[in-house]
């Protein structure tokens, strides 16, 4: 990421007009945001950046320099960098997986009849999952099946000796690679504990050994914790299918009570979604002089209720403070992850109430109202009523809702993609495989992850996406990167007409899908692996994930979760491009291992491309390499495309 001047104009901080407008408003009103704090945090520590600061024991902190190449305990840069990296992967895995755990425990309660307002919403998703895990489901009550499935899922966390079972959903060849390298993870909890153990003072000092455990832990995330979270969410809340909605701050209502849900876990937001159209709530809002209630989301909670219910998206990660600064938000309800500590402080200058709902995620200045799962619906109604009560405190002089939001289509679960591609009678990935083989689609790229105030928000993500579409590359998206495309208007089938190259356009038009598929939240990155596995199973594109012409990109990432995701993509055989590097530059060996050596172990590695155009070139190179290996990069087909291109130009 290029070094930024100490202060920047709003239009240099964010790509979309709504954010630019509200960053300007924040500056005028003296509101402290991550953008201004980025300025006060300039000259971030070089030791931290290089990963060579160790605070693991109290003989330290130790910093590695040419004069002091080892810490007090004798650990060198390789050990310190690798240990710090391992702890990042542990943090990311813990976050995704704990989210998954909460859902699994909810599924168990539902199965036992104590689920309160929750129920099994998608029985066919349940039976489908049961069959995948070898649970007898024919002629059995859904609750009994759910109970058995929940037990298997709990074991994914607690298993001591047995590898996690969800690994078996990967292509066989990939499973063999993991076994061969000894990185089949046991229970998620054990993996994370082992990360902490191995990286404490005086345990694992071999950077390779440490990094292999990082990959092993990440597999527990991608192929267990996250995958289980997606499967369980689909069972409890419904499998996503294409749904229309809108994104950006302009979705906030001028005359409605605006309630924002922010964070990651879908359980409460599901209930808020239902309660927000409850006649009792609507009457209550009318009595308060409002035209209704607008529920909108930020971050991955937004993605969860977007992909299932079409609830509109107020913004992605770096719009959380900006939403409050519009002056039009009555309440922001947070659960876990990516909710800034600053929210109550920002809100104190407006009328917004910040309500935290998870006992593991409190912030001084926020009202804490612990989410009561058993009475979830009443809980949701109570929160909405409180928000409505706050409507009278909105100060019209402080309100500025940007006139900016774009239509979108989201909700592309693997089942939905199959259905779109294969049609009603037989859902299938065949048409996609055929299009890739014929060269109409060059390959598939997953663009995932966050935004980061170090660079212009959404700039890299949107520039890259547009360039890939031109090159006939199908783009799959999750998380805040998906919201970036939503705000840009790229998540509509019509976008394909304007942006996509001729081959991709043809395919998208034929099946009526956007050229950028929003697949969900960040735990739903597991869906990207599921889609890639479907491509392998369908046949004709190799027998392993490392054969498929597919690449992952995390352009503007900031979270430990992105580190874990990057690792499980690479360990699954999918190359990963990072818009800015990990904190590993202090160790040439660790850098070499992650960016080069992993190629011989997993058939994929990390690549750092600080410039989006550099990333485009790298992606094309990586896809071509795989196409070449598959023998489908035939010149003749390229020529056919060129002809078509030319014809299009002559029109
Ligand atoms: Ni993913 Fe989703 Fe967004 Fe980044 Fe945070 S919300 S879990 S971590 S910032 S993409
Ligand atoms: Fe220093 Fe070693 Fe302690 Fe780290 S573990 S703080 S390098 S003495």
């Amino acid at each position: 990421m290029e070094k930024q001047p100490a202060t920047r104009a709003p239009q240099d901080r964010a790509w979309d007009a709504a954010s630019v407008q509200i960053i300007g408003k924040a500056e005028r009103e003296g509101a402290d945001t991550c953008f201004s704090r980025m300025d006060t945090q300039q000259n971030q520590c070089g030791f931290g950046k290089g990963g060579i600061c160790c605070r693991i024991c109290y003989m330290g902190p130790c910093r590695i320099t040419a004069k002091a190449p080892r810490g007090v305990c004798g650990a060198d840069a390789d050990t310190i960098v690798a240990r710090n990296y391992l702890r990042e992967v542990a943090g990311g895995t813990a976050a995704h997986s704990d989210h998954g755990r909460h859902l699994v425990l909810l599924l168990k309660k539902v199965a036992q009849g104590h689920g309160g307002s929750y129920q099994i919403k998608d029985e066919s998703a349940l039976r489908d999952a049961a069959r995948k895990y070898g649970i007898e489901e024919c002629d059995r009550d859904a609750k009994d099946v759910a109970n058995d499935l929940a037990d298997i899922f709990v074991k994914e966390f607690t298993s001591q000796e047995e590898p996690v079972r969800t690994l078996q959903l990967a292509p066989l060849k990939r499973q063999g690679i993991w076994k061969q390298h000894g990185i089949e993870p046991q229970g998620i909890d054990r993996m994370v504990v082992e990360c902490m153990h191995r990286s404490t003072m005086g345990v694992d000092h071999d950077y390779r050994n440490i990094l292999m455990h990082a990959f092993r832990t990440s597999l527990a995330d991608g192929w267990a914790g996250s995958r289980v979270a997606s499967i369980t969410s689909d069972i409890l809340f419904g499998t996503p299918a294409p749904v229309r909605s809108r994104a950006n701050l302009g979705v906030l209502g001028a005359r409605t009570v605006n309630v924002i849900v922010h964070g990651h876990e879908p359980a409460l937001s599901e209930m808020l979604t239902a309660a927000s159209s409850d006649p009792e709530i609507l009457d209550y809002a009318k009595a308060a002089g409002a035209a209704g209630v607008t529920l909108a989301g930020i971050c991955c909670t937004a993605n969860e209720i977007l992909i299932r219910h079409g609830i509109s998206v107020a913004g992605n990660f770096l719009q959380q403070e900006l939403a409050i600064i519009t002056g039009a938000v009555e309440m922001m309800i947070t659960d876990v992850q990516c909710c800034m500590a600053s929210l109550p402080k920002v809100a104190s200058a407006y009328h917004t109430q910040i309500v935290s709902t998870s006992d593991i995620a409190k912030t001084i200045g926020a009202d804490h109202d612990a989410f009561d799962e058993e009475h979830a619906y009443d809980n949701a109604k109570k929160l909405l009523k409180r928000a409505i009560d706050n409507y009278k405190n909105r100060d019209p002089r402080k309100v500025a809702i940007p006139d900016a939001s774009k239509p979108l289509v989201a909700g592309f679960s693997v089942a939905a993609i199959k259905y779109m591609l294969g049609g009603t009678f037989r859902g299938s990935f065949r048409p996609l495989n055929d299009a890739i083989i014929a060269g109409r689609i060059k390959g598939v790229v997953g663009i995932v992850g966050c935004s980061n105030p170090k660079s212009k928000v959404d700039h890299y993500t949107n520039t890259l996406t547009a360039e890939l579409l031109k090159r006939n590359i199908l783009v799959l998206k999750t998380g805040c990167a998906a919201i970036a495309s939503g705000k840009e208007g790229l998540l509509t089938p019509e976008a394909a007409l304007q942006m996509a190259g001729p081959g991709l356009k043809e395919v998208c038009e034929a099946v009526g899908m956007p050229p950028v598929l929003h697949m969900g939240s960040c735990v739903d990155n597991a869906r990207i692996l599921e889609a890639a596995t479907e491509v392998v199973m369908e046949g004709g594109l190799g027998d392993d994930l490392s054969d498929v012409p597919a690449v992952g990109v995390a352009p503007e990432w900031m979270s430990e979760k992105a580190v874990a995701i990057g690792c499980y993509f690479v360990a699954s055989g999918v190359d990963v491009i990072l818009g800015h590097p990990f904190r590993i530059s202090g160790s040439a060996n660790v850098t070499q291992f992650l960016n080069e050596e992993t190629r011989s172990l997993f058939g994929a590695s990390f690549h750092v491309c600080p410039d989006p155009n550099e990333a485009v070139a790298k992606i094309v190179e990586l896809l071509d390499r795989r196409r070449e290996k598959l023998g489908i990069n035939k010149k003749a087909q390229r020529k056919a495309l060129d002809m078509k291109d030319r014809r299009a130009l002559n029109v």
Side-chain angles (χ1 to χ4, degrees):
M1 208 169 280
E2 77 279 26
K3 198 169 172 348
Q4 299 292 346
T7 53
R8 283 178 279 159
Q11 61 272 21
D12 295 329
R13 296 199 191 260
W15 173 273
D16 72 284
S19 294
V20 170
Q21 180 188 335
I22 302 299
I23 292 170
K25 183 175 191 278
E27 286 174 358
R28 285 192 302 281
E29 293 175 358
D32 188 36
T33 65
C34 60
F35 301 100
S36 54
R37 293 189 300 273
M38 193 72 234
D39 294 345
T40 50
Q41 286 289 342
Q42 277 305 297
N43 302 320
Q44 288 174 322
C45 173
F47 294 99
K49 274 189 208 162
I52 42 173
C53 167
C54 184
R55 303 187 308 118
I56 278 168
C57 91
Y58 277 68
M59 294 189 284
C62 301
R63 306 188 303 184
I64 299 303
T65 63
K67 274 195 193 148
R70 285 176 185 271
V72 178
C73 69
D76 62 10
D78 296 341
T79 301
I80 292 173
V81 169
R83 281 195 305 215
N84 287 338
Y85 186 80
L86 179 65
R87 286 189 169 204
E88 289 176 12
V89 173
T93 300
H96 287 141
S97 301
D98 212 29
H99 162 172
R101 180 206 318 276
H102 292 152
L103 293 168
V104 168
L105 296 179
L106 181 57
L107 179 66
K108 178 86 185 168
K109 279 190 201 145
V110 169
Q112 293 178 331
H114 311 305
S117 331
Y118 296 99
Q119 44 189 300
I120 293 161
K121 208 160 182 186
D122 193 338
E123 194 174 320
S124 73
L126 167 72
R127 294 189 182 274
D128 229 35
R131 283 192 298 275
K132 281 186 181 142
Y133 287 87
I135 296 170
E136 180 58 52
E137 55 88 22
C138 269
D139 302 324
R140 285 184 74 205
D141 185 66
K143 283 194 174 159
D144 294 336
V145 177
N147 194 51
D148 289 356
L149 187 64
D151 286 343
I152 287 185
F153 285 170
V154 167
K155 281 208 198 98
E156 296 295 77
F157 292 87
T158 58
S159 167
Q160 301 301 313
E161 303 281 355
E162 288 293 310
V164 289
R165 287 184 58 175
T166 311
L167 292 184
Q168 292 167 17
L169 302 184
L172 270 180
K173 192 164 171 192
R174 193 43 41 177
Q175 293 179 44
I177 291 171
W178 295 331
K179 201 182 191 79
Q180 181 200 337
H181 296 307
I183 57 164
E184 289 177 299
Q186 284 108 22
I188 300 157
D189 295 351
R190 176 171 175 188
M191 290 301 96
V192 174
V193 167
E194 202 174 301
C195 285
M196 301 312 282
H197 179 190
R198 287 167 81 142
S199 57
T200 199
M201 188 264 151
V203 186
D204 205 350
H205 299 128
D206 175 337
Y207 72 91
R208 271 204 190 83
N209 206 39
I210 295 169
L211 294 173
M212 286 308 270
H213 186 63
F215 284 110
R216 183 167 168 227
T217 303
S218 77
L219 289 175
D221 178 357
W223 288 95
S226 289
R227 184 73 180 268
V228 160
S230 289
I231 296 172
T232 310
S233 299
D234 289 355
I235 294 168
L236 288 171
F237 312 127
T239 303
V243 61
R244 288 196 171 268
S245 188
R246 299 189 76 85
N248 214 345
L249 292 169
V251 304
L252 297 173
R255 310 185 57 78
T256 55
V257 175
N258 292 310
V259 179
I260 287 186
V261 282
H262 175 22
H264 283 77
E265 292 188 4
L268 172 59
S269 52
E270 275 287 320
M271 285 301 152
L272 285 162
T273 302
S276 66
S277 55
D278 188 309
E280 182 191 336
I281 294 298
L282 296 179
D283 288 346
Y284 197 80
K286 294 220 169 86
V293 174
T294 298
L295 186 70
I298 288 208
C299 281
C300 282
T301 294
N303 286 324
E304 297 279 356
I305 50 177
L306 166 70
I307 60 174
R308 295 196 175 85
H309 307 290
I311 296 293
S312 51
V313 178
N316 50 2
F317 178 55
L318 294 178
Q319 290 177 293
Q320 57 185 287
E321 295 173 306
L322 304 183
I324 296 169
I325 296 165
T326 63
V329 174
E330 274 57 54
M331 182 178 280
M332 182 179 275
I333 301 167
T334 62
D335 51 81
V336 291
Q337 302 169 26
C338 301
C339 303
M340 289 189 184
S342 61
L343 295 176
K345 172 85 172 48
V346 176
S348 66
Y350 303 89
H351 74 304
T352 309
Q353 290 177 0
I354 309 292
V355 179
S356 56
T357 57
S358 164
D359 285 341
I360 66 162
K362 293 187 179 181
T363 305
I364 301 282
D367 295 327
H368 190 66
D369 191 346
F371 171 44
D372 170 8
E373 236 165 44
E374 223 166 298
H375 306 101
Y377 192 69
D378 291 339
N379 203 182
K381 281 205 297 194
K382 194 178 80 189
L383 283 169
L384 292 178
K385 282 186 178 171
R386 266 185 68 188
I388 294 166
D389 290 340
N390 192 26
Y391 182 63
K392 61 176 182 298
N393 297 321
R394 190 189 288 188
D395 179 351
R397 289 163 306 173
K398 285 189 180 171
V399 173
I401 301 173
D403 182 20
S405 73
K406 287 273 167 71
L408 63 86
V409 180
F412 292 90
S413 58
V414 168
I417 297 175
K418 250 186 171 175
Y419 178 82
M420 291 215 79
L421 288 170
T424 325
F425 297 112
R426 194 187 156 270
S428 162
F429 267 64
R430 195 69 247 160
L432 176 64
N433 282 31
D434 288 344
I436 295 174
I437 292 166
R440 284 197 297 280
I441 291 180
K442 190 178 203 41
V444 180
V445 169
I447 304 182
V448 309
C450 329
S451 41
N452 189 322
K454 285 183 175 175
S455 57
K456 184 171 169 175
V457 175
D458 298 341
H459 167 261
Y460 192 128
T461 301
N462 287 334
T463 309
L464 175 66
T465 305
E467 290 302 318
L468 296 181
L469 296 182
K470 279 189 218 160
R471 289 166 177 77
N472 296 303
I473 294 166
L474 179 68
V475 178
L476 309 181
K477 287 209 169 180
T478 59
C480 290
I483 299 175
S485 286
K487 292 190 285 176
E488 184 77 348
L490 282 183
L491 299 181
T492 60
E494 299 77 40
L497 295 172
Q498 292 146 19
M499 307 284 294
L504 177 61
K505 184 171 146 186
E506 190 186 314
V507 175
C508 288
E509 279 183 326
V511 297
M513 72 182 192
V516 182
L517 300 178
H518 186 328
M519 296 185 76
S521 64
C522 288
V523 292
D524 292 328
N525 282 318
R527 294 190 206 271
I528 296 185
L529 294 179
E530 186 191 355
T533 303
E534 289 281 346
V535 167
V536 172
M537 304 297 192
E538 188 59 53
L541 288 170
D543 56 0
D544 179 39
L545 298 170
S546 65
D547 296 325
V548 178
V551 173
V553 193
E556 304 175 38
W557 65 281
M558 64 84 204
S559 170
E560 287 176 332
K561 291 179 280 178
V563 183
I565 293 165
C567 280
Y568 71 65
F569 267 69
V570 166
S572 299
V574 180
D575 282 282
V576 170
I577 292 178
L578 303 169
H580 58 106
F582 294 129
R583 292 184 190 130
I584 56 172
S585 62
S587 163
N589 281 331
V590 169
T591 305
Q592 152 82 15
F593 185 86
L594 293 175
N595 297 355
E596 309 283 343
E597 242 175 282
T598 45
R599 183 161 293 282
S600 57
L601 296 170
F602 307 129
S605 68
F606 290 103
H607 311 264
V608 182
C609 298
D611 178 82
N613 293 309
E614 194 187 321
V616 174
K618 190 78 206 170
I619 288 166
V620 169
E621 177 198 323
L622 290 166
L623 293 178
D624 274 340
R625 202 187 289 166
R626 290 189 175 199
R627 296 183 61 87
E628 210 67 57
K629 218 176 121 204
L630 287 166
I632 57 170
N633 221 16
K634 306 245 169 61
K635 285 242 161 62
Q637 273 146 349
R638 273 208 203 139
K639 246 187 210 156
L641 268 181
D642 289 349
M643 293 274 288
K644 221 170 164 196
D645 268 335
R646 251 177 268 143
R647 268 205 300 277
L649 282 173
N650 288 339
V651 175

